[in-house]
Amino acid sequence: MDFTTVSAKVFGAESPDVQIPAMVREDGAESEAYIPKIDGTYTFDRNNLSVVNTFLNGAWNEGSTEGLQLIGPTGSGKTSLIEQVCARLNVPLISVTAHERMEVPELISSIVAFEGSTMTVDGPLTMAMRNGWPFVLNESDLVESGTATGLNDIIERGFTVIPSTNEVVRAAKGFAFITTSNTSGGGDEMGAYVGTKVQNLAFRDRFVKVIVDYMDKDTELTLLERKFPSTPSQALAGFIAVANMVRDSFKAGTGLDVTMSTRTLVRWVRLTAQFAGMERRGHQPIHYAMDLALANGTSEAVSETLHSMIQQHIGVDRYVTANAGA
């Protein structure tokens, strides 16, 4: 990949107008398909943006000898953070979601049938290494600890061996190993993230660690205002107040087994507008949309709690009348 520079204002109008490194976008090249799309409404946390940019610059200039781990609750924007940085810097990105049966060889290569014979093809991790692109392993705390430890040489020394051919693949400059996880790798003390594993300390020791939490209310309000410009800011602030109460209850382990991610919040606001007509059928749209966005996937007790939060913060009853006609 070739490098150029772009203005830091690609990260928002509040960024300084200084030139920062970026990759040259090659129209029609294979790499173009791997560059994430820009979300114009995305709002960056300035501190986390600085860490990610510094990490990527190190991979471009010196090569990567450690990974970057983005840690935070579900839906807090861990994956979207790295995607939106790469989108603005024209950086191809390969992303894979982990699972508890994942093994390192499936990330390295596979053998496929081809014209009556077989051939070895690169796995997603090897592809990123050859091309010098960042690789993201999402939900890395779902992987068995022994499997994760098998990635240590790739993260620290930047090479791997193709099992079927014994080819040594060394990471091109620009390769970076990034993980996202709900826990830090030390286990899930709350019991909220089923399937997460305690990771080997040797694996955990190889990462720069960034906490990605939900946006503060002002930042989240700015995001909603961009997405829903026709909705009054005061109304959007009410949605955010409920979302933060849900999040705080979830984090506190009060028995609420769901949280409200930013994407769920956006869904809730959107559905409230789309189902405004439900008021004629006796349902308050904001409550009806809560069911569709989140509550219908919970227990009756949790659902009632979510609706009571709306009543508490926004002051809207669940039904327009007790016996409204259809």
Side-chain angles (χ1 to χ4, degrees), residues 15-38:
S15 298
D17 189 14
V18 297
Q19 293 297 301
I20 58 174
M23 286 188 173
V24 175
R25 188 163 191 150
E26 303 174 56
D27 292 339
E30 178 189 19
S31 60
E32 191 172 20
Y34 292 90
I35 300 174
K37 293 182 179 179
I38 291 177

Side-chain angles (χ1 to χ4, degrees), residues 183-205:
T183 72
S184 62
D188 177 18
E189 296 178 355
M190 292 172 50
Y193 300 107
V194 177
T196 54
K197 309 291 192 300
V198 175
Q199 298 299 330
N200 185 285
L201 187 59
F203 177 72
R204 295 165 59 190
D205 191 50

Side-chain angles (χ1 to χ4, degrees), residues 90-241:
N90 297 322
V91 178
L93 180 71
I94 295 182
S95 180
V96 171
T97 299
H99 54 85
E100 62 183 8
R101 295 182 301 280
M102 176 175 281
E103 299 289 345
V104 173
E106 69 187 83
L107 299 175
I108 303 302
S109 64
S110 60
I111 299 175
V112 299
F114 180 73
E115 295 182 351
S117 184
T118 60
M119 62 182 297
T120 299
V121 297
D122 286 346
L125 179 54
T126 303
M127 183 178 179
M129 295 175 70
R130 285 192 197 275
N131 287 286
W133 301 344
F135 173 83
V136 179
L137 182 63
N138 286 304
E139 313 292 352
S140 62
D141 47 3
L142 293 177
V143 177
E144 293 290 346
S145 61
T147 298
T149 302
L151 296 166
N152 287 352
D153 276 344
I154 295 173
I155 298 169
E156 185 174 353
R157 296 182 175 86
F159 77 90
T160 189
V161 178
I162 307 297
S164 59
T165 64
N166 289 327
E167 177 192 2
V168 177
V169 177
R170 299 194 179 276
K173 193 171 288 187
F175 168 75
F177 193 98
I178 302 165
T179 70
T180 71
S181 58
N182 297 130
T183 72
S184 62
D188 177 18
E189 296 178 355
M190 292 172 50
Y193 300 107
V194 177
T196 54
K197 309 291 192 300
V198 175
Q199 298 299 330
N200 185 285
L201 187 59
F203 177 72
R204 295 165 59 190
D205 191 50
R206 283 170 164 79
F207 291 89
V208 174
K209 300 170 180 65
V210 178
I211 300 299
V212 182
D213 207 344
Y214 297 114
M215 299 177 186
D216 63 74
K217 62 182 180 181
D218 291 335
T219 303
E220 201 159 45
L221 179 59
T222 299
L223 181 146
L224 292 183
E225 287 173 336
R226 290 174 179 173
K227 287 186 176 291
F228 306 100
S230 62
T231 303
S233 295
Q234 185 176 358
L236 295 174
F239 282 96
I240 293 170

Side-chain angles (χ1 to χ4, degrees), residues 228-273:
F228 306 100
S230 62
T231 303
S233 295
Q234 185 176 358
L236 295 174
F239 282 96
I240 293 170
V242 174
N244 282 329
M245 189 174 187
V246 174
R247 294 161 181 168
D248 290 344
S249 297
F250 175 77
K251 290 178 182 178
T254 60
L256 207 65
D257 61 355
V258 293
T259 187
M260 183 168 285
S261 65
T262 298
R263 61 174 170 261
T264 301
L265 173 60
V266 169
R267 184 187 308 134
W268 181 29
V269 177
R270 172 175 53 81
L271 289 170
T272 298

